[in-house]
Amino acid sequence: MNDSGTGLFTIGELARATGLTVRTIRYWSDEGALPPVARSSGGYRLYDARSVARLELVRTLRELGLGLDDVRGVLAGERTVAELAAAHVAALDAQISALKVTRAVLSTVARRGSSAEEATLMNRLARLSVAERKRIMEAFVEEMLHGLDTVDPEIRERMRRSATELPEDPTPEQVDAWVELAEMVRDPEFRDLMRKAAEFNAADRGPEVPAGTSLWFVRRLVDLVGAARRRGVAPEAPEADAVLRELLGDADPAAVLERMETAFDERVARYRALLSVANGSPAPPHGEDFAWVVAALRARTDR
């Protein structure tokens, strides 16, 4: 392959044989990845046939993204290609995950028409680690439940399981949902609203009330109101009176309305919907059933 007939190659001859640039080969040689086997009388570096094979390996490893330190480790027998490949796969996975978040954030910024400040906040929130997102949500839930020992244990556990976990490949909608959630849980007015809902739940229960009673009420509401809605009963219709009596018994409609308006406030409903989007879980069902009860109670307490 060389022109001198010595079996040794100059950097220029290696470049022509491999298609690499002289500058690249010289740099790799300077960095110890391709040491010359000899020097010419004029001081030029010379390489042999083994150097050609070594150069091809260096090129392959570099094209796979390995740094020169790792390349030198392989060539020196300190690490295997398989070991480095496994480590590099993990690093690439992290990079790909970061790029996917970047793509989702940019898509959200473009869709929202966000300002530079909004884009900065959105990017910072979206890049929080799973542990950091969990801490934010756990701190929020703990504040909502602090000192309320009689909150239904099942409701308490559901709230504590509500930490968002963005997938490795989040959609722009999921990033958008998480950012909005993070903004919501820092809003003092929203925190007050959620605390009030928790206080209502705690006030409804004494020590003798079984766990899960709150969820039993929800299921009963869905059954009764769902059936009424299927029959075409409007919230303000006289026929709705019987549904409310069966659901609420002799409870004060005004007091029940206040509690339901808090528990099913538009912002609370939005919070639950955002959790579903961010976590990729089904949207909360039966919103129309609860809205029917609120409308029916309003129609009667306004009389």
Side-chain angles (χ1 to χ4, degrees), residues 2 9 20 27 29 56 78 113 115 120 128 171 174 183 193 201 203 218 229 245 249 261 271 279:
N2 66 322
F9 309 91
L20 292 164
Y27 173 68
S29 184
E56 290 293 350
E78 298 168 355
S115 66
T120 299
L128 292 175
T171 65
Q174 286 175 309
E183 293 169 341
L193 178 67
N201 184 275
V218 169
R229 291 179 58 238
R245 280 196 302 273
E261 285 180 326
Y271 171 78
N279 289 328

Side-chain angles (χ1 to χ4, degrees), residues 85-209:
H88 202 56
V89 165
L92 283 174
D93 284 343
Q95 293 174 14
I96 290 169
S97 179
L99 286 172
K100 288 175 177 177
V101 171
T102 298
R103 181 193 62 194
V105 169
L106 289 173
S107 297
T108 299
V109 168
R111 188 175 67 253
R112 281 187 171 189
S114 302
S115 66
E117 292 77 9
E118 291 170 333
T120 299
L121 174 63
M122 193 179 307
N123 187 51
R124 181 176 65 80
L125 291 173
R127 291 185 186 283
L128 292 175
S129 69
V130 171
E132 289 168 329
R133 286 196 295 271
K134 187 175 181 181
R135 279 196 296 272
I136 288 173
M137 299 303 292
E138 285 180 345
F140 168 71
V141 171
E142 287 306 315
E143 181 181 328
M144 297 307 99
L145 298 175
H146 180 70
L148 302 179
D149 296 335
T150 57
V151 167
D152 191 314
E154 291 196 20
I155 297 295
R156 184 187 298 272
E157 183 58 27
R158 283 194 175 198
M159 290 184 68
R160 284 178 170 160
R161 290 200 307 264
S162 65
T164 56
E165 296 183 9
L166 286 175
E168 292 184 1
D169 186 9
T171 65
E173 291 75 20
Q174 286 175 309
V175 170
D176 205 8
W178 159 244
V179 170
E180 189 175 341
L181 271 172
E183 293 169 341
M184 285 184 77
V185 300
R186 298 193 308 171
D187 178 4
E189 290 187 3
F190 179 72
R191 297 171 84 95
D192 288 344
L193 178 67
M194 290 291 285
R195 173 68 180 188
K196 187 176 180 182
E199 289 171 347
F200 276 144
N201 184 275
D204 285 339
R205 297 186 70 255
E208 72 286 352
V209 178

Side-chain angles (χ1 to χ4, degrees), residues 8 10 30 39-40 48 55 75 77 81 92 100 115-116 128 134 172-173 181 216 226 238 243 261:
L8 298 178
T10 65
D30 290 343
R39 293 266 179 176
S40 70
D48 59 11
L55 179 58
L75 295 172
V81 174
L92 283 174
K100 288 175 177 177
S115 66
L128 292 175
K134 187 175 181 181
E173 291 75 20
L181 271 172
W216 174 86
V243 179
E261 285 180 326

Side-chain angles (χ1 to χ4, degrees), residues 38-61:
R39 293 266 179 176
S40 70
S41 58
Y44 293 102
R45 285 172 278 201
L46 298 173
Y47 304 88
D48 59 11
R50 292 182 61 187
S51 300
V52 177
R54 186 182 179 102
L55 179 58
E56 290 293 350
L57 177 57
V58 172
R59 172 159 65 178
T60 297
L61 295 175

Side-chain angles (χ1 to χ4, degrees), residues 24 40 101 121 157 186 190 220 223 233 236 262 266:
T24 296
S40 70
V101 171
L121 174 63
E157 183 58 27
R186 298 193 308 171
F190 179 72
R220 181 164 174 76
D223 289 342
V233 177
E236 64 279 3
T262 299
E266 288 183 3

